Amino acid sequence: MHRPAVHRRDPRLEIITEAVERLIPRATPAHLTVTVTETLPGTANPDGTPHKHTWTGKPEGLAVKVFTALFGRPRTEEQRSPLAQAEDAKRARDLVGELDALLAGGVALETAPWYPCRPGDLVHVHHRAVGDVPLTPAFGETYIVGDAGDGLMSMQLLAHTLPDTVEHAADMVGCFAAEAADCPVYEVWFEAGAHLLTVVRDGRPVHVGGAR
């Protein structure tokens, strides 16, 4: 799915976009457009139909307009996970900023339209390349959420794309697996960040992070 290259550091913009996309249940976001129509009373076109003014755009375009009206222009800095933002604030001795980053991350997760996760959900994590060579190439991991009993859920590694030739490759994958947790995606959401996650439910993506 293609979307404009907007760095969505603020999860509120992502939430607004997904809310607009879900006005038509189970629709494919890449195929959606939004049309707002003003019908002018007492006017008519040559064919007798009422004269109208319209605005048409993609869901993310409408989301940006709503976000800007509420909060100002979206930030365009590089996207960072809630934990990375909190660590930046901690290094700057900004206790309020540290708490805000963690609280915002929790709110973004718990207000996501697909939350909470369900058994059978697939969680895909993108890991960025590390180093200039790079020492570790970019790779992905796929986890599956399962029922751990007693109202808890597990998340087990299904597959990864990190080459076995990478040093210590076996120690670098599966770190987000969970045997039993209230919310098995909590750790990966905070450490990797929503922008590096894709969640698939019933064969359909319900959350797609990063550039779309």
Side-chain angles (χ1 to χ4, degrees), residues 14-125:
E14 188 75 18
I15 292 169
I16 295 171
T17 302
E18 292 179 353
V20 175
E21 292 172 346
R22 283 165 176 74
L23 289 172
I24 300 180
R26 306 183 75 84
T28 301
H31 299 162
L32 287 175
T33 58
V34 180
T35 300
V36 180
T37 302
E38 176 193 22
T39 301
L40 302 177
T43 64
N45 295 314
D47 61 0
T49 59
H51 187 63
K52 298 179 180 181
H53 293 155
T54 62
W55 177 90
T56 300
K58 300 294 290 182
E60 58 267 27
L62 176 60
V64 169
K65 290 180 180 292
V66 173
F67 185 97
T68 301
L70 292 172
F71 310 112
R73 290 295 303 171
R75 296 178 180 179
T76 57
E77 296 91 342
E78 179 184 0
Q79 294 171 291
R80 294 171 63 75
S81 69
L83 185 60
Q85 294 177 50
E87 289 176 345
D88 287 344
K90 184 176 182 178
R91 282 191 290 269
R93 298 183 179 181
D94 180 3
L95 178 60
V96 173
E98 181 181 357
L99 294 175
D100 282 349
L102 296 174
L103 289 173
V107 169
L109 174 59
E110 294 174 9
T111 58
W114 53 269
Y115 180 87
C117 57
R118 303 174 188 172
D121 285 355
L122 295 176
V123 181
H124 303 274
V125 188

Side-chain angles (χ1 to χ4, degrees), residues 107-182:
V107 169
L109 174 59
E110 294 174 9
T111 58
W114 53 269
Y115 180 87
C117 57
R118 303 174 188 172
D121 285 355
L122 295 176
V123 181
H124 303 274
V125 188
H126 171 72
H127 295 270
R128 290 171 170 156
V130 177
D132 297 330
V133 179
L135 298 177
T136 302
F139 70 99
E141 293 182 293
T142 300
Y143 294 83
I144 185 168
V145 176
D147 186 349
D150 297 325
L152 303 177
M153 288 177 283
S154 63
M155 194 167 77
Q156 301 300 323
L157 179 68
L158 280 181
H160 67 83
T161 60
L162 182 65
D164 294 336
T165 53
V166 175
E167 188 176 3
H168 304 301
D171 298 326
M172 298 173 62
V173 298
C175 60
F176 294 117
E179 293 186 3
D182 291 325

